[in-house]
Amino acid sequence: MGYSAGILNKRITILNRKQQTIGRWGIDSDGVGWEETGSCWANVSWVKGISAMREGSADVYGMMLVRMRWTKNVSRNSRVRIDGRTYEILGETFHPDYMANTIQFNMRELNE
């Protein structure tokens, strides 16, 4: 079924990890790189509800809820860039559904 075009109001950029490199001190010792693998429309909103209140910690306020149509470019290890800010997907909240044409996940802003 998928989400209707009316709620998909933000353009997001998908970042995936670059190929691993072997440096002098081991795998990825030179750092991990990220590359843009595409962009798409999504619905982005603040995390709300009882689960957000139950957390009660300061980092819960930097969490966003994303709903988008299914795409193979997004995985639980991807990152998302919106308006110049980079977010990491919280793996335990990542719910893709190919048959329903939906992906839903929470993300947290990175301080890079």
Side-chain angles (χ1 to χ4, degrees):
M1 177 164 157
Y3 295 113
S4 68
I7 71 163
L8 305 177
N9 56 3
K10 276 278 195 199
R11 191 75 172 163
I12 65 172
T13 303
I14 308 300
L15 305 169
N16 284 316
R17 187 180 167 147
K18 289 184 180 178
Q19 187 71 22
Q20 291 180 345
T21 59
I22 300 176
R24 182 176 179 190
W25 306 108
I27 295 175
D28 288 335
S29 60
D30 297 331
V32 175
W34 297 87
E35 63 184 348
E36 293 183 10
T37 57
S39 62
C40 57
W41 290 97
N43 176 266
V44 181
S45 59
W46 294 101
V47 173
K48 333 178 209 191
I50 193 119
S51 61
M53 285 179 14
R54 197 175 298 136
E55 285 288 327
S57 58
D59 61 347
V60 76
Y61 301 107
M63 290 178 47
M64 309 286 273
L65 170 65
V66 176
R67 295 181 189 105
M68 58 188 284
R69 293 186 178 131
W70 190 90
T71 177
K72 65 180 181 178
N73 286 340
V74 180
S75 71
R76 67 180 58 240
N77 299 320
S78 298
R79 290 190 175 174
V80 176
R81 185 176 296 137
I82 304 171
D83 299 330
R85 295 182 180 188
T86 304
Y87 298 84
E88 69 176 338
I89 295 174
L90 302 176
E92 65 274 6
T93 65
F94 186 73
H95 299 290
D97 190 344
Y98 175 76
M99 297 302 283
N101 192 24
T102 61
I103 297 177
Q104 181 173 320
F105 57 85
N106 289 352
M107 61 184 184
R108 176 179 41 227
E109 185 175 358
L110 292 173
N111 295 322
E112 296 180 315

